[in-house]
Amino acid sequence: MGETKQFFAHRGVSGEYPENTMAAFRAAAKVKAHGIELDVQLTKDGEVVVIHDETIDRTTNGIGYVKDFVWNQLKRFDAGSWFHPKFSRESVPLLEEVLQWVTTLNYPLLVNVELKNDIIDYPELEEKVLQLIDLYHLQSQCILSSFNKASLKKINELNHSIETAYLIEGIPVDILKVVENIPVKAIHCEASFAQSIIGKKVQERGYPIRVFTINTMNEYNNLIKSNVSAIITDYPEIFLENKVIE
């Protein structure tokens, strides 16, 4: 019998709460998810905010690019009503707000911070994220991930002790060469990669694999033989209630 897998709440418990809001993160802690996954970008005045899309159109009542708003403007938008009217008071949180909250919990919640800088270049995003993690002494509880190889390389140069993870889609055949050159400590991928021969080779080289976004027991059961380290899910309670183990 293997170790219990870790279950990360994808953008918080985003199946039942508006994604990337404090309500979604609190729900993850309530069910004792092992971790939360969230996305960060920069405002016009350089604040690190938690939001997935480059624009605010889908998840708020505003329109425009995150990078074009200063924090005082962005925080006024409603980031919950798009999901359900009862969440109308939710707003786009600062990464600092989330990290500060994490320090108040009675267990060491892991935080997977995805840097959303593969489409828009955010100067000094890496430095700002690392500074906030240092400020709250959460180095051992944070994982920094990105699709952006240059960003991960920069993080490693700034702080080679913090865990980094390369985000991929599909099954890139040159993955081993890529991750050795960045370098990173883990791979975040789709189920197809975890189940592939290349995925197995990556694990044999000592890289943990975390799989997104697994939302049903059927999807999970198909992964059992793949020996993945963690599941990233919109519904962590499904797996935690079933006390899933390898």
Side-chain angles (χ1 to χ4, degrees), residues 29-101:
K30 190 173 182 181
V31 298
K32 289 290 193 286
H34 299 97
I36 55 173
E37 184 269 353
L38 55 82
D39 310 276
V40 295
Q41 302 187 56
L42 286 183
T43 61
K44 190 176 183 179
D45 53 344
E47 294 291 338
V48 185
V49 289
V50 179
I51 188 169
H52 178 270
D53 298 1
E54 285 75 19
T55 68
I56 67 171
D57 306 21
R58 180 176 65 87
T59 57
T60 80
N61 61 340
I63 295 173
Y65 283 88
V66 174
K67 68 180 180 63
D68 293 334
F69 293 99
V70 296
W71 169 238
N72 273 335
Q73 294 172 311
L74 193 62
K75 70 181 182 183
R76 294 193 178 102
F77 291 112
D78 170 357
S81 289
W82 67 275
F83 190 86
H84 192 281
K86 68 182 178 182
F87 296 116
S88 63
R89 293 185 179 180
E90 291 299 317
S91 57
V92 175
L94 289 168
L95 176 60
E96 181 166 14
E97 184 182 355
V98 178
L99 296 181
Q100 190 172 31
W101 165 75

Side-chain angles (χ1 to χ4, degrees), residues 8-25:
F8 282 70
H10 181 237
R11 307 177 199 169
V13 184
S14 58
E16 300 173 74
Y17 296 82
E19 65 179 62
N20 280 325
T21 61
M22 291 307 301
F25 301 139

Side-chain angles (χ1 to χ4, degrees), residues 109 111 135 144 159:
L109 180 74
V111 184
L135 180 63
L144 302 186
N159 183 339

Side-chain angles (χ1 to χ4, degrees), residues 126-152:
E126 298 87 355
E127 287 92 339
K128 288 173 183 287
V129 169
L130 287 169
Q131 283 166 9
L132 288 168
I133 291 168
D134 287 345
L135 180 63
Y136 291 97
H137 307 290
L138 288 170
Q139 297 91 338
S140 63
Q141 287 174 236
C142 288
I143 301 156
L144 302 186
S145 63
S146 182
F147 286 100
N148 185 327
K149 295 191 288 286
S151 182
L152 290 167

